[in-house]
Amino acid sequence: MDNSRRRMSVLVAGHAVNDLYQGAVPAVVPFLVLERDYSYVAAAGVTVAATLLSSVVQPLFGVLTDRRPMPWLVPLGMTLAGAGIGLSGLSDSYLMTWLAIALSGLGVAAYHPEAARLARRVAQDSHVGMSWFAVGGNVGFALGPVLVTPVLAFGGLAWSPLLAVPALVGGVLTTVALRGVHGAAAAEVPAGRDDWGQFSRLTVVIVARSMVTFGLGTFLAIWVTGRVGGGPAAGAAALVVLFGVGAASTLLGGVLAGRFGRVRVLRVSYAAAVPAVAGVALVPGPAVYLMVALTAVALYVPFSLHVTLGQDYLPNRLGTAGGVTLGLAVSIGGLGSPVVGAIAGVWNLQWSLLSLVVLPIVAWVAARGLRSPVRV
């Protein structure tokens, strides 16, 4: 395996480890509620410590790395993300727990901008290479509960330090694998004009897409369980379809972009998402799983393309572009979930899912104004 492939493999695996700790937070919260009698407000505060801090701070790290490359942030951010989760179960103090989770969110934020920059360089601008990098994050997020639940179910919160082991190992391996890549990356920084107008339009697309995925991720299992019966297993199966097909579709996006162009793929994907999301809410019986799969394809094919488009719209600010496209714009989507829940409370869950159809329409309209960057 040559150096580029080896380094990309490490970056993909490292992205999985880093984002594993984002997925770990929702899995830790139930144990905090069970062992420490946290109220729902206190539990929500812990989640906010991770998600909002990470999303707000991530662009700031992007600005810093645009001024001066900081490849050491990649292993350091990953290590802090794991350390925060590892420390979260050791203190009975709510403040100390909150700060530990916040530390994890800070680590996640520090990781993404520089990792996205390095991945783009190591991939040599390959859309497929960046798709693999994006898939790493998707897989890691999904694996968070898989790691957390058995460990804490067996040993309780006192065993939380074990959760930091993947980050510590990953940090060391990443440091070794990326040694020497900094100089090559710095030498290839592109010249060109930053197009903030196009980048802002792309941000609208990403926020709208994120609100759909967060809304579905929050309520899909409940909806499908009631739709087809079969208990919690039926709902869990729907989430497996959503995230499993989504991961495969992220790779497909890189292939399609190489053949048809990124902007065209975005437009077609979000146009297809409109009937697919509507089908999730309207199609009866087991056929809902087919609609979930089609929705996953439509929403995840563009995922990695957002990152490379953002970097090409801001060729002199790759860190800022990565911080927004992988951080701020994605995390803000989570703020839409309470709105979906409120609609379900006033009417019903079907109407709340139908309301999500508006968002891929917004993404499609915004994508129609996108132009292919000069640098492809």
Side-chain angles (χ1 to χ4, degrees), residues 9-106:
S9 297
V10 170
L11 283 167
V12 171
H15 197 189
V17 171
N18 185 78
D19 284 17
L20 180 152
Y21 293 103
Q22 283 187 299
V25 174
V28 169
V29 167
F31 292 94
L32 293 172
V33 172
L34 180 65
E35 290 193 27
R36 300 180 183 169
D37 295 323
Y38 281 3
S39 67
Y40 290 133
V41 173
V46 169
T47 302
V48 167
T51 56
L52 285 187
L53 179 67
S54 176
S55 63
V56 170
V57 173
Q58 221 163 131
L60 299 181
F61 277 108
V63 172
L64 289 175
T65 58
D66 284 333
R67 293 178 178 176
R68 181 178 182 180
M70 302 176 182
W72 48 268
L73 279 177
V74 176
L76 176 63
M78 183 193 310
T79 302
L80 290 178
I85 295 297
L87 293 171
S88 65
L90 297 185
S91 174
D92 290 332
S93 164
Y94 181 80
L95 176 60
M96 296 305 295
T97 300
W98 192 94
L99 289 174
I101 296 294
L103 176 66
S104 181
L106 186 66

Side-chain angles (χ1 to χ4, degrees), residues 125-150:
D125 292 339
S126 164
H127 299 314
V128 175
M130 286 301 292
S131 295
W132 275 107
F133 177 71
V135 166
N138 291 339
V139 170
F141 188 90
L143 288 178
V146 176
L147 171 69
V148 169
T149 302

Side-chain angles (χ1 to χ4, degrees), residues 218-289:
T218 303
F219 298 104
L220 182 63
I222 300 172
W223 170 248
V224 171
T225 298
R227 199 71 165 164
V228 305
L239 291 177
V240 169
V241 172
L242 179 66
F243 296 125
V245 174
S249 298
T250 302
L251 290 176
L252 177 62
V255 175
L256 294 176
R259 179 169 298 184
F260 302 108
R262 290 170 290 180
V263 172
R264 180 181 295 179
V265 171
L266 256 66
R267 291 171 180 166
V268 172
S269 294
Y270 288 118
V274 175
V277 173
V280 171
L282 297 175
V283 170
V288 70
Y289 289 107

